Amino acid sequence: LLREKGAGKFVDLLMAVSKDPAMLIWLDGQSSIKGHPNENWSREVMELFTLGIGNYTETDVREGARASTGWTLQYGYPMGTVTLVPSRFDNTPKTILGQTGNWGMDDFSRLLAAHPQTAQFVTRKLFVWFVADDPTDADIAPMLAAWERTSGDIRAVLRAMFLSDSFTVERATRAHIKNPIAWTVTTLRALEVTMTGEQIFGYLQQQAMEPFRPPNVGGWTNGPGWISPSNQVMRFNLAGQIVVKSPLLSGKADDAFLTRLADRLGGLPLSDGLRAQLLTLGNNPDGQRAVAQLLLTSPMYQAR
């Protein structure tokens, strides 16, 4: 669903996610019925994915929950078929974000997607993910203009961001801390290490980032939240396990090797002083692996 809808209209993505079997199960939507609406989806979609905290009221939550009633899963064949059961839907007027009507689930999504605060919220999320953690109004302006011009077409918003004056090497390079998936996958690719899916999953389990199993509806932490004494020790130990599996690493580390390794690891900047220290560390039969392990846990590599 995310691959199909992620680069299209935000409203289409929102409507699809709201009725996705996984979401109906995760946020108890299949048990939300007339007279007993469940507020999980209504609250989380406004807080985490559209408006953000402080931009909606408890009344909006309750009314949005009423609009979202009636959707159930058919546990026969095909498994996971989503159906609206009219008798379970609250077929009465609701007032959401100041607008009154006999709103249903898709209407609720349209109201959220059309709200100006959603454009602000989503564009800032995109900027933080791709560029840096501190977007200004000027940074977001071309993205907001693209959103308004295309009624929330994500591809157009991304294009505006990538072509803006804010998307520069100085601003976007190493502006974030790699999360465990980013650190593990980029390391395996850079060093051409082959592992099974089960082995990679085990590495991610050790780092508390199992794919498709977030700790809560807000997802995993970002940035500095992945950096702690225990996490650093973990990454150092895992780096040690990875370098011994790399077919690229064997023997002493000379200056040419340092240049090749720094390039493979994303163009790491090696000062003359650091080069000298790494050459000293690598002046032994297992020097390449020692140098690689150290660089994999260095601040400059752990940033993306």
Side-chain angles (χ1 to χ4, degrees), residues 128-275:
V128 167
W129 180 260
F130 284 104
V131 189
D133 292 334
D134 53 349
T136 64
D137 291 342
D139 292 328
I140 301 301
M143 301 171 69
L144 288 175
W147 182 291
E148 182 175 356
R149 184 177 67 253
T150 64
S151 299
D153 184 82
I154 298 300
R155 189 184 299 275
V157 172
L158 290 174
R159 179 178 176 83
M161 178 185 66
F162 293 140
L163 294 178
S164 73
D165 293 338
S166 301
F167 192 72
T168 62
V169 171
E170 295 77 15
R171 188 82 181 275
T173 302
R174 297 189 178 87
H176 302 286
I177 303 298
K178 288 187 177 84
N179 61 39
I181 290 178
W183 182 84
T184 301
V185 173
T186 54
T187 299
L188 296 178
R189 287 179 173 173
L191 299 183
E192 297 184 6
V193 174
T194 299
M195 286 188 179
T196 66
E198 290 76 11
Q199 289 172 320
I200 296 174
F201 185 75
Y203 272 46
L204 298 176
Q205 275 188 314
Q206 293 180 63
Q207 299 174 80
M209 194 177 192
E210 297 180 28
F212 305 110
R213 291 183 64 87
N216 52 58
V217 293
W220 291 278
T221 185
N222 282 319
W226 291 112
I227 299 298
S228 69
S230 60
N231 286 344
Q232 291 304 96
V233 172
M234 175 67 70
R235 286 193 179 184
F236 186 80
N237 291 336
L238 292 177
Q241 296 174 30
I242 291 172
V243 296
V244 299
K245 300 177 186 295
S246 174
L248 307 178
L249 305 174
S250 64
K252 294 184 179 181
D254 58 18
D255 197 61
F257 166 77
L258 292 183
T259 298
R260 292 196 304 273
L261 181 62
D263 185 59
R264 277 189 168 273
L265 298 182
L268 300 184
L270 302 182
S271 66
D272 292 341
L274 179 57
R275 277 181 176 269

Side-chain angles (χ1 to χ4, degrees), residues 1 5 8-17 113:
L1 185 155
K5 304 286 187 181
K9 300 279 189 181
F10 180 75
V11 66
D12 294 334
L13 174 64
L14 190 58
M15 287 192 292
V17 169

Side-chain angles (χ1 to χ4, degrees), residues 19-76:
K19 294 174 288 188
D20 184 77
M23 187 62 76
L24 287 173
I25 293 171
W26 181 243
L27 292 182
D28 303 306
Q30 80 278 18
S31 61
S32 185
I33 63 175
K34 179 179 179 179
H36 300 281
N38 187 294
E39 297 180 1
N40 287 351
W41 164 253
S42 177
R43 185 179 304 279
E44 305 302 353
V45 71
M46 289 192 281
E47 176 182 330
L48 299 174
F49 304 115
T50 54
L51 303 177
I53 295 174
N55 296 298
Y56 59 90
T57 67
E58 285 300 307
T59 297
D60 293 323
V61 172
R62 291 191 293 270
E63 298 290 87
R66 291 176 55 220
S68 305
T69 53
W71 290 93
T72 61
L73 292 173
Q74 178 180 325
Y75 290 97

